[in-house]
Amino acid sequence: DPYDRIWEPYWDVKWRLIGSNHSNHALDQEAFKPPAVVLETAATPINATASLDFHWENDDNETQHQYYFYLHLTELQQLGADQTRSFNINMDGETWNTLESLKYGEVYTKHVRGLSSGCKKCRISLIRTESSTLPPIISALEIYLAKDFSLGLETKKDDVDAVTNIKRAYRVDRRNWQGDPCAPKAYKWDGVECSFFDGFQRITSLNLSSSGLTGRIPADISKLTMLKSLDLSDNDLSGNIPYFLEQLKSLTYLNLANNNLTGSVSNRTPSKTK
C-alpha cells in the first residue's frame, strides 16, 4: 500500500467471513488508514460464543525485543436495536483492552506498543464480553517485532575507524559492511570476527582474501591491536611486508599468499605464517 505495508490473507476454518462494499471515502478512518480492500471483509467466529485467536511461535530467544500490534476493527453489519458487540482483547492470557462497541462504517485501530517478545507461543485473543449479544470481529491485524540493536555491545571506536578506513581506501565491496562491524552479532560484517574485552567488542579476525586489494598492506591494520588472525591472500598487494605486523602481539595466524610482496615476517610472531 502507499505506506509500504504488505497485506496477506489469514484465515481459520472456525471463522465466518463478513463482507461489505465500503470504500475508503465511505469509512470514517483514523490515522493508520488500512486500504479499502482490507476493510471490506472481516472475520467473526462461527460459534457465537467462541473467541477469535491469532497465534505464532517466537523463534527469537532474546527477550529484550518488543512487539508492536495494530488491530483494525470495523463493524460491517447494521446492528438491530437489541444487538451489541463488545469484546476483550487479550495478550497471552491477560486482558489488555476492552472494546465496548463498534459503530457501522467506522474504523477503530487499537494498538499496543512495547510488549515483550519473551513469549514462545504468542497469542492474541478477542473474547466476547458477557453483556455482548454478538461475537468479536476483526478486519486486519499488523504485528511488528522491533529489535533493539543498541543493546548489543558496541565495537571499540579505534577498531571501527580502522576497518572503515580500509573499506574506503581500498574500496572493499562487501554488501553488509555498514554500521557497527561486530554488533549486533547476527549482522556483523563478512570476514570479521569479534570478541568482548573490557566493555567493548574487539576485532580479533579479519579475512580480506580475494577482495581486490592493491598497493601496500593497509597501515590501519596496525590499529587492530587485538587481532589474532589476518588473511590478505589472493589480492594484488605489493611492496615490503610492513614491520607493524610483528608488533601485533595477539596475532597468531597470517596469510599473505598470492600477492606481490617482498620481505619476511619474524618467526617470533605469528606462529603460523603463509
Side-chain angles (χ1 to χ4, degrees):
D1 68 10
Y3 302 97
D4 289 335
R5 296 173 296 190
I6 299 174
W7 302 87
E8 297 178 342
Y10 184 95
W11 196 248
D12 191 299
V13 294
K14 299 176 182 178
W15 298 351
R16 180 168 63 91
L17 180 69
I18 298 176
S20 171
N21 294 320
H22 283 310
S23 68
N24 269 349
H25 298 292
L27 291 169
D28 185 5
Q29 289 231 37
E30 295 181 344
F32 300 98
K33 294 182 170 48
V37 68
V38 173
L39 299 174
E40 68 185 13
T41 58
T44 189
I46 296 174
N47 181 345
T49 61
S51 60
L52 278 173
D53 300 308
F54 304 87
H55 49 83
W56 67 99
E57 292 191 5
N58 182 14
D59 295 328
D60 197 330
N61 293 323
E62 300 179 49
T63 59
Q64 68 268 31
H65 305 316
Q66 295 182 328
Y67 278 114
Y68 288 60
F69 301 92
Y70 299 82
L71 291 83
H72 303 293
L73 310 166
T74 313
E75 180 57 77
L76 300 182
Q77 296 178 313
Q78 292 276 13
L79 302 187
D82 58 344
Q83 291 181 308
T84 60
R85 194 190 304 275
S86 62
F87 49 90
N88 294 320
I89 303 173
N90 283 19
M91 302 285 185
D92 287 333
E94 299 291 333
T95 300
W96 163 68
N97 201 307
T98 299
L99 194 70
E100 294 297 340
S101 63
L102 291 172
K103 293 182 180 179
Y104 180 74
E106 291 188 8
V107 181
Y108 297 84
T109 297
K110 295 295 183 181
H111 55 91
V112 57
R113 306 175 184 181
L115 191 69
S116 170
S117 64
C119 57
K120 292 298 181 183
K121 292 186 177 181
C122 307
R123 187 184 186 93
I124 298 176
S125 298
L126 308 186
I127 303 175
R128 171 180 171 175
T129 63
E130 292 183 1
S131 61
S132 180
T133 63
L134 296 172
I137 189 173
I138 188 171
S139 290
L141 170 66
E142 298 177 62
I143 305 176
Y144 301 96
L145 177 60
K147 293 193 172 184
D148 188 353
F149 291 161
S150 67
L151 295 174
L153 300 171
E154 65 179 355
T155 307
K156 190 172 182 180
K157 187 177 184 302
D158 290 346
D159 287 15
V160 176
D161 291 344
V163 290
T164 300
N165 290 340
I166 292 170
K167 170 190 171 183
R168 292 173 179 169
Y170 292 82
R171 298 182 180 179
V172 178
D173 185 17
R174 296 196 177 178
R175 183 175 299 176
N176 79 330
W177 274 40
Q178 304 288 336
D180 191 302
C182 300
K185 185 177 181 180
Y187 301 95
K188 69 177 180 59
W189 292 8
D190 290 340
V192 172
E193 297 295 334
C194 309
S195 296
F196 181 62
F197 295 96
D198 298 328
F200 291 95
Q201 291 281 3
R202 302 297 306 275
I203 295 175
T204 55
S205 177
L206 182 62
N207 186 341
L208 291 174
S209 63
S210 304
S211 295
L213 306 185
T214 60
R216 297 184 180 275
I217 290 178
D220 284 289
I221 289 175
S222 64
K223 300 175 183 176
L224 301 175
T225 57
M226 300 302 294
L227 202 62
K228 296 180 180 180
S229 174
L230 176 63
D231 191 343
L232 299 176
S233 63
D234 299 303
N235 286 291
D236 194 22
L237 295 168
S238 58
N240 290 326
I241 297 175
Y243 179 70
F244 65 70
L245 293 179
E246 297 186 25
Q247 305 305 303
L248 295 173
K249 297 179 180 180
S250 298
L251 191 64
T252 58
Y253 176 85
L254 174 64
N255 189 351
L256 302 177
N258 301 319
N259 285 285
N260 299 306
L261 297 164
T262 58
S264 61
V265 180
S266 167
N267 289 330
R268 180 176 60 84
T269 54
S271 60
K272 295 181 180 181
T273 307
K274 293 184 179 181

